[in-house]
Amino acid sequence: MIKVGVAGYGVIGQRLADGVALQRDMELVGVADVSPTLAVRALKEKGMPYNLYNAMAGNEGLFKEAEIPISGTLEDLIQKCDVILDATSAGIGAKNKELYKKYNKKAIFQGGENNDVADVFFHGYANYEKGIGKQFLKLTSCNTTGLIRAVDCIDRKVGVKKVAITIIRRVADPGDYHRGLTNALQVDKAPSHQALDLMTIMPHVDATGILVHTPVTHGHIITVVATPKEDISKEELLDIFSQHPRIRNVRLADGFLGNASLFRYARDLGNPRGDMYEIAVFEESVVKSGKDIMFAINIPQEAVVIPENIDAIRAAMEMQRDRIEAVTETNKYLGLGKWMSK
């Protein structure tokens, strides 16, 4: 049984903890955070299903005042684990790396950290083999994770020469205030980091892209123009996507009009927090232009990277050396692909 800890119990950390707890071949030792945040207070109100560790020396009094029990320090948690999922704020993971090295533990960092924090820039489907046995892995961002899923899915069937993307990016997560109240769109300098990151993971694909920040919170939309090596029809593309457990084909005609529709659907399914692990392809968005094929996908930014984090544990700990065996185990325990047989 692989023992796993989560450093940082925020938007991603909460979901990582829940995802690990679902894996029957892993044990969640505990989670760590620096103060009694709302997420930590909710953890207490739920009966403390996970052991909590204090990640900042001197903050013990804050937890005591809030009557939230702690099981030790971050260093205590690290020593009890085989691998740490570091979901701390950007830059903190690089500092925590020194602790992971001190105790010779493996760690997996999130997309906000610089690439040089890890041995491998990792994606479960696209380059699983490169992460096997490595001490430090870094995940791609939410947008890049979903984008690579779609492009890799096509590439493994018919090959992909190049892609051009436009990302309509939510400006903040639900509940965030630090970005302010806005009524504007903002264009980033091209090419976007997601296109560059895709080429890092899949160097044989020529990618470029533009990113537009939008004043919404529930998900990103990415439009993709792909040039496959073999000519494929709209129907063939949708069939390729339909075989992937982390991709849903949805229809505007059925009421899936955009990001908010998918968020509501996830809540109606009873998914915790309204989360979806899978990306969605809007069927009516698929169009051909010569050999190029265009489509739009929805990225549920709060949960989409969780499966790939679990894949990373499997690779780093050499739980499965075969890519398909690994992702299949992750998918099974997270309940991914259940809709495929319905």
Side-chain angles (χ1 to χ4, degrees), residues 234 252 281-287 294-297:
K234 171 179 178 176
L252 301 176
V281 178
F282 298 97
E283 290 191 10
E284 292 92 334
S285 73
V286 181
V287 291
M294 183 177 184
F295 55 93
I297 56 178

Side-chain angles (χ1 to χ4, degrees), residues 217-323:
T217 61
H218 292 306
H220 316 284
I221 301 289
I222 304 180
T223 66
V224 182
V225 180
T227 305
K229 292 181 179 178
E230 298 178 22
D231 192 36
I232 55 172
S233 66
K234 171 179 178 176
E235 291 71 26
E236 289 170 325
L237 178 68
L238 290 172
D239 182 61
I240 289 171
F241 285 147
S242 72
Q243 298 173 45
H244 199 299
R246 298 182 190 175
I247 301 176
R248 279 179 181 257
N249 291 344
V250 300
R251 300 172 66 237
L252 301 176
D254 292 336
F256 292 100
L257 305 182
N259 60 331
S261 303
L262 283 153
F263 180 73
R264 178 176 177 178
Y265 191 64
R267 289 189 299 177
D268 290 342
L269 287 172
N271 294 356
R273 305 184 185 91
D275 285 345
M276 269 193 171
Y277 295 129
E278 60 270 27
I279 64 171
V281 178
F282 298 97
E283 290 191 10
E284 292 92 334
S285 73
V286 181
V287 291
K288 289 290 297 290
S289 177
K291 282 192 65 175
D292 291 348
I293 194 158
M294 183 177 184
F295 55 93
I297 56 178
N298 181 79
I299 308 291
Q301 83 280 354
E302 294 177 291
V304 70
V305 301
I306 306 308
E308 279 74 11
N309 270 271
I310 305 298
D311 298 339
I313 295 173
R314 298 185 178 282
M317 299 306 302
E318 302 183 68
M319 297 175 70
Q320 290 85 27
R321 298 191 66 84
D322 180 81
R323 177 180 68 92

Side-chain angles (χ1 to χ4, degrees), residues 1-2 4 16-28 277 306-307 310-311 313-314 319-320 326-335:
M1 188 75 74
I2 300 300
V4 184
L16 288 175
D18 293 349
V20 171
L22 291 171
Q23 308 298 304
R24 295 182 184 175
D25 50 1
M26 301 178 191
E27 176 190 344
L28 179 66
Y277 295 129
I306 306 308
I310 305 298
D311 298 339
I313 295 173
R314 298 185 178 282
M319 297 175 70
Q320 290 85 27
V327 298
T328 298
E329 287 295 287
T330 299
N331 293 343
K332 176 176 67 177
Y333 294 133
L334 292 181

Side-chain angles (χ1 to χ4, degrees), residues 74-76 78-79 81 97-106 135:
L74 174 59
E75 289 198 49
D76 293 330
I78 292 169
Q79 293 177 76
C81 295
K97 181 180 177 179
E98 296 307 311
L99 289 176
Y100 309 143
K101 290 166 65 176
K102 175 182 176 181
Y103 294 107
N104 194 29
K105 302 294 184 175
K106 297 192 176 186
Q135 183 173 7

Side-chain angles (χ1 to χ4, degrees), residues 48-69:
M48 296 301 293
Y50 308 141
N51 291 328
L52 176 67
Y53 292 77
N54 176 26
M56 182 172 288
N59 276 10
E60 297 82 4
L62 297 178
F63 292 100
K64 185 176 181 180
E65 182 180 350
E67 299 182 341
I68 297 173

